[in-house]
Amino acid sequence: MSDNSKITLGKTLRDARIAKGYTLDDLQQTTKIQKRYLIAIEDQNFDELPGDFYVRAFIKQYADMVDLDGAELLKQFDSTLPSTQTQEYVDKVNENNPETRSQQRQVDERYVKLRRTVPIVGIVIVVLAVLVGIWIAASRNSSSSTNNNVDSSSVSVSGSSSSAKSSSKKSSSKKSSSKKTSTASFKKISSTTSGSTWEMKNASSKPKLSLSATGSAWMAVKVGGTTTWQGTLSSATTHSLTLPSGTTSVTFNFGNAPATSVKVDGKKFDFTTATSTSAASSSSTTTTSDSTTGTTTTSSSTTSQVQTVTLEFK
């Protein structure tokens, strides 16, 4: 590199700048190249620039700003400039080349996608292999169990049919017996001149009472000595109530027993009984004659209107 070529390159740029009337400060503001780099270019001190790539780039930009042909100037003084074959220069060119950057970006994106896809594909293959293994094992177990069932059923078909018949008979007999035993029933335990005591079997845990009357009839219901309900019913009215769970007995006080009707769990409770009392009552007289003996017999029955009836649950 001769001194004349150095001076010629720097002097050419400097003379063009001065001819345009630009100062170094003006050129720095326009090109965004630092002033010290502009001075280094004019003085041919290329070592002070950031790198070999920037030497040519800055010189071309400088020349274009002062209306010189930057490409032609670089070609003219190529021998005085750093080599374009260095790795630094090649890297910088590729970095600043949009097409090169785009190609590199596409390569990077493909690599990233490949890295993401490979594990997923591997997981899917493993899952499919496991599912196929489970299906094969289940198929084998199912076929073997089917064969065993066929063999066992062929051996014990006669015994199983007879046992099935006997078991069906037993179950039907149990059902019929359970139906018989579950039927509610009433039984009179004792009676007095003022009422009676009854027993009910197979009542529900919470017995339901339904009270009605064919005429005007007063009545009261007591549980455990406490009046649960009382009132007067007519032929047009009814009353229903449910006894508390665990009730062992209920006591009815009837003001007009013959006209009163009671149902427990939907089953009629026929509590009417013939008693004699001094209270208001309804009576009937029947006269019969015996032609053989020539005697006449008169019988009377009295049904008490006022009664106290106790029903115990068993």
Side-chain angles (χ1 to χ4, degrees):
M1 183 180 301
S2 63
D3 293 339
N4 291 333
S5 63
K6 290 183 180 179
I7 295 172
T8 300
L9 176 59
K11 188 175 183 303
T12 300
L13 294 173
R14 184 184 297 109
D15 291 344
R17 173 177 61 81
I18 294 173
K20 295 292 293 184
Y22 294 149
T23 64
L24 289 174
D25 293 330
D26 294 335
L27 204 60
Q28 175 181 249
Q29 185 176 1
T30 304
T31 61
K32 306 303 180 184
I33 301 174
Q34 296 183 24
K35 184 177 180 179
R36 63 191 180 94
Y37 294 149
L38 297 174
I39 295 173
I41 291 172
E42 291 182 353
D43 294 341
Q44 299 288 125
N45 296 326
F46 299 137
D47 293 339
E48 295 184 7
L49 271 65
D52 294 344
F53 172 80
Y54 293 99
V55 174
R56 292 176 179 271
F58 286 172
I59 290 174
K60 185 177 185 304
Q61 191 174 1
Y62 189 134
D64 291 339
M65 289 303 301
V66 294
D67 291 338
L68 294 177
D69 189 344
E72 183 63 28
L73 188 66
L74 291 174
K75 183 178 180 181
Q76 181 181 353
F77 295 101
D78 181 70
S79 60
T80 64
L81 299 175
S83 174
T84 59
Q85 301 303 318
T86 62
Q87 185 62 39
E88 177 188 356
Y89 188 88
V90 174
D91 293 341
K92 283 294 183 181
V93 171
N94 292 335
E95 179 181 342
N96 294 316
N97 189 338
E99 184 178 354
T100 304
R101 288 200 306 269
S102 176
Q103 293 176 354
Q104 183 62 36
R105 190 179 300 110
Q106 292 177 359
V107 172
D108 294 340
E109 289 177 355
R110 291 196 204 99
Y111 179 70
V112 171
K113 289 182 180 178
L114 184 61
R115 289 185 59 186
R116 292 178 179 175
T117 305
V118 168
I120 296 175
V121 173
I123 293 173
V124 171
I125 293 174
V126 172
V127 171
L128 290 176
V130 172
L131 293 177
V132 170
I134 293 174
W135 179 79
I136 293 174
S139 300
R140 290 179 178 176
N141 291 335
S142 177
S143 60
S144 62
S145 61
T146 302
N147 293 333
N148 292 335
N149 290 335
V150 170
D151 294 339
S152 60
S153 61
S154 61
V155 172
S156 59
V157 62
S158 57
S160 60
S161 59
S162 60
S163 61
K165 291 180 180 179
S166 61
S167 61
S168 62
K169 290 181 180 179
K170 290 181 181 178
S171 61
S172 60
S173 62
K174 287 182 180 179
K175 289 182 180 179
S176 60
S177 62
S178 61
K179 289 182 180 179
K180 292 179 181 179
T181 56
S182 62
T183 303
S185 61
F186 300 96
K187 178 183 179 182
K188 182 191 287 186
I189 299 176
S190 62
S191 62
T192 63
T193 57
S194 60
S196 58
T197 301
W198 294 73
E199 176 185 89
M200 180 179 181
K201 293 183 178 181
N202 301 317
S204 63
S205 60
K206 293 182 179 181
K208 295 181 180 179
L209 306 181
S210 178
L211 309 175
S212 60
T214 58
S216 179
W218 176 90
M219 64 190 72
V221 180
K222 294 182 179 181
V223 177
T226 302
T227 301
T228 303
W229 176 85
Q230 63 178 351
T232 301
L233 299 179
S234 64
S235 59
T237 59
T238 60
H239 183 75
S240 299
L241 68 155
T242 301
L243 300 181
S245 177
T247 300
T248 57
S249 65
V250 59
T251 300
F252 302 93
N253 290 329
F254 300 114
N256 187 3
T260 304
S261 176
V262 178
K263 289 184 178 180
V264 183
D265 288 338
K267 184 175 180 62
K268 185 176 181 180
F269 174 30
D270 190 6
F271 60 87
T272 305
T273 181
T275 58
S276 61
T277 179
S278 60
S281 62
S282 61
S283 60
S284 61
T285 302
T286 303
T287 302
T288 58
S289 298
D290 191 339
S291 59
T292 304
T293 60
T295 60
T296 301
T297 304
T298 302
S299 63
S300 63
S301 63
T302 304
T303 302
S304 174
Q305 288 183 320
V306 179
Q307 290 190 32
T308 300
V309 178
T310 300
L311 178 63
E312 297 178 352
F313 301 106
K314 300 297 184 179

